[in-house]
Amino acid sequence: MKHFEANFDGLVGPTHNYAGLSFGNVASSQNASMPSNPKAAALQGLAKAKALANLGLVQGVIAPQERPDIYTLRQMGFSGTDAQVLNKVAKTAPQWLYACASASSMWTANAATVSPSADTADGKIHFTPANLIDKFHRSIEHNTTGHILRAMFADTRYFKHHQALPMHPHLGDEGAANHTRLCHQYGEAGVELFVYGQSVFDHDKPKPQKYPARQTLEASQAVARLHGLDDDSCVFLQQNPLVIDQGVFHNDVIAVGNQNVLFYHQQAFFHGAGKLAELQQKLDSELHLIEVPTAQVSVKDAVQTYLFNTQIVTLPSGEMAIIAPTDCEENPAVKQYLDELITLGTPIKQVRYFDVKQSMQNGGGPACLRLRVALNERELNAVNQQVLLTDDKYLKLTKWVERHYRDRLTPADLADPELLKETRTALDELTQLLKLGSIYPFQR
């Protein structure tokens, strides 16, 4: 039976804007209040996804969330018609409006943690939506995320869906942005690498001093239990608190893996040597550890270019390619390193650059935009086929974006009642296009 790793990219929502909501994310803070271009952002993301489909990879899309989130604003005491709610919050508490209008669900690496059937005790693919409690604007995503994932992966013979972890800082969970699966072949049992920023109960482990450590060890352990993973298929590794304080808010800003390759910065992990040896032992097959020296690429350059927030994909030829933002190409040190990397005899033989600047300016690169799901042929056939990206689906989605999206948006525009109407109209049409059913509150 054939096996695949499918990438499901988040469609950028119509309210894509730069409100600077993510403390600890350097790009998000630096570009706060700049005008954004939602239409360009969505088209850039679709173009990147289509390029991967053209390479012969299984590629799908994940619908965005309904924003502004009027329902959360009403829970906070803002009342009246939708237009009155928007007007009141904009005048009295604009930060709540910015949070409830964020298009951050575009970064679907944070949507959930996924464990493939080859790893789990019951032989099903398991999904746990991330609670994302460290940032309010993201903590309101998980319910709708769960509805979307259930509409995409509905067949209970193959797919198992969990609730998000309890909403408490002890169980801060950032999803696949802090989770990497290593394996020999996608359909074989692998080792799931959970990277955490801090431990709640082990006070001997260090913590960052400037920026928050969003993922806890205890959350990672809880997800592993939910997914039915045994000790031989898990490794728990701490992120270096010193790099968190330099803007490495998720592990996927400093490390990325694919099959038997782990690509990471020299400063990525705290006391990593022993845990990487454990990873090698548990994988029990050849593991390529590609460590990027600080002398060649500084942490600052890695964060600014998102060298490690690239995707590593296995092409139909068997070669691996890095899918990188054009920011990597424009940085001399990073470009020089990548040019050298493809000559080093590792499985990575190609680097392909894509323009995703609208996402990059808000703090997310190519890897932030995708959720990976390893599937066999039967499981792939059980996926909602309408979310898979074909030539026809790509054309329909680009036309959908061009019809419904604005080409300029500032935080001040988020109070416009017409924007809410435009968003709901767009999403209602999208759910029909992707055959998702009534996944949004306004539809129910």
Side-chain angles (χ1 to χ4, degrees):
M1 188 184 301
K2 292 182 179 179
H3 298 84
F4 315 89
E5 183 175 76
N7 290 286
F8 292 88
D9 280 34
L11 292 171
V12 179
T15 63
H16 165 67
N17 72 94
Y18 301 134
L21 298 173
S22 191
F23 180 67
N25 181 327
V26 175
S28 172
S29 300
Q30 287 179 343
N31 294 301
S33 300
M34 284 178 52
S36 65
N37 187 330
K39 182 178 292 185
L43 293 175
Q44 285 173 2
L46 275 168
K48 190 269 287 186
K50 184 59 168 63
L52 266 64
N54 291 345
L55 291 173
L57 303 176
V58 179
Q59 178 69 55
V61 295
I62 297 181
Q65 307 237 343
E66 177 190 350
R67 295 292 182 268
D69 184 347
I70 293 293
Y71 315 96
T72 294
L73 291 172
R74 290 186 186 281
Q75 280 185 281
M76 296 162 64
F78 297 100
S79 59
T81 65
D82 290 347
Q84 289 169 336
V85 167
L86 291 170
N87 182 58
K88 289 176 182 177
V89 69
K91 286 184 176 179
T92 62
Q95 289 300 326
W96 288 128
L97 174 61
Y98 302 157
C100 289
S102 173
S104 54
S105 66
M106 62 195 274
W107 294 306
T108 51
N110 298 123
T113 303
V114 184
S115 294
S117 56
D119 295 355
T120 62
D122 62 2
K124 295 183 180 182
I125 300 176
H126 284 242
F127 299 83
T128 297
N131 61 25
L132 300 168
I133 60 165
D134 186 70
K135 298 288 178 283
F136 174 79
H137 68 287
R138 303 225 58 182
S139 71
I140 59 177
E141 294 177 11
H142 63 91
N143 282 331
T144 299
T145 296
H147 289 305
I148 294 171
L149 291 175
R150 285 179 173 87
M152 295 170 62
F153 304 96
D155 194 326
T156 57
R157 293 175 299 170
Y158 302 106
F159 309 121
K160 173 72 174 177
H161 295 272
H162 302 278
Q163 299 278 340
L165 297 181
M167 303 294 286
H168 189 277
H170 283 17
L171 292 168
D173 177 25
E174 298 288 312
N178 283 324
H179 172 264
T180 298
R181 179 178 185 257
L182 286 303
C183 60
H184 181 61
Q185 298 292 338
Y186 293 126
E188 298 176 0
V191 179
E192 302 195 19
L193 179 62
F194 292 85
V195 181
Y196 61 93
Q198 64 172 321
S199 171
V200 175
F201 299 129
D202 186 344
H203 300 295
D204 291 333
K205 295 184 183 296
K207 298 180 180 180
Q209 300 301 306
K210 181 179 180 182
Y211 292 138
R214 303 186 188 186
Q215 182 85 24
T216 68
L217 168 61
E218 291 74 15
S220 296
Q221 292 169 332
V223 172
R225 284 192 295 270
L226 284 171
H227 291 195
L229 306 179
D230 61 30
D231 289 343
D232 289 336
S233 61
C234 296
V235 172
F236 299 94
L237 173 57
Q238 185 171 8
Q239 195 175 353
N240 183 352
L242 297 179
V243 298
I244 294 176
D245 281 339
Q246 295 177 67
V248 181
F249 52 98
H250 289 139
N251 179 61
D252 67 3
V253 181
I254 203 74
V256 59
N258 175 57
Q259 288 188 316
N260 63 344
V261 169
L262 183 63
F263 179 55
Y264 60 98
H265 193 273
Q266 181 181 355
Q267 297 183 50
F269 306 121
F270 177 72
H271 291 173
K275 287 293 183 178
L276 292 176
E278 180 186 347
L279 179 65
Q280 173 73 81
Q281 182 266 324
K282 288 182 175 178
L283 189 62
D284 195 27
S285 64
E286 185 178 25
L287 175 64
H288 297 271
L289 296 173
I290 305 175
E291 182 181 277
V292 180
T294 305
Q296 288 185 264
V297 178
S298 67
V299 172
K300 180 180 179 180
D301 280 347
V303 171
Q304 287 184 341
T305 64
Y306 278 9
L307 168 61
F308 299 96
N309 199 249
T310 52
Q311 295 174 247
I312 304 177
V313 297
T314 301
L315 304 174
S317 66
E319 290 186 351
M320 292 191 192
I322 285 183
I323 308 300
T326 51
D327 302 62
C328 288
E329 190 176 26
E330 295 161 1
N331 181 291
V334 172
K335 176 64 162 59
Q336 182 177 345
Y337 176 80
L338 288 172
D339 287 345
E340 178 184 327
L341 173 63
I342 59 177
T343 71
L344 296 180
T346 76
I348 300 172
K349 304 298 184 186
Q350 302 179 31
V351 180
R352 295 172 180 256
Y353 297 99
F354 292 89
D355 180 4
V356 288
K357 286 191 182 297
Q358 285 288 318
S359 177
M360 289 285 289
Q361 287 174 185
N362 219 5
C368 282
L369 290 165
R370 61 92 175 97
L371 183 69
R372 295 183 286 184
V373 184
L375 303 139
N376 61 38
E377 285 180 283
R378 286 194 297 267
E379 293 160 345
L380 180 59
N381 289 333
V383 173
N384 176 349
Q385 298 297 295
Q386 298 305 311
V387 302
L388 299 179
L389 200 60
T390 61
D391 290 346
D392 179 63
K393 189 67 66 179
Y394 173 73
L395 289 174
K396 288 179 178 177
L397 287 169
T398 54
K399 290 178 180 178
W400 171 78
V401 169
E402 289 164 352
R403 276 196 306 276
H404 294 291
Y405 281 52
R406 299 185 182 189
D407 58 14
R408 189 179 191 276
L409 201 66
T410 67
D413 296 324
L414 300 173
D416 182 1
E418 290 304 311
L419 179 63
L420 177 62
K421 293 178 183 177
E422 293 165 15
T423 298
R424 287 177 173 171
T425 299
L427 295 181
D428 196 48
E429 184 178 319
L430 181 66
T431 55
Q432 297 172 58
L433 182 60
L434 301 181
K435 299 292 188 290
L436 296 174
S438 299
I439 56 174
Y440 297 112
F442 79 90
Q443 297 175 314
R444 300 197 299 270

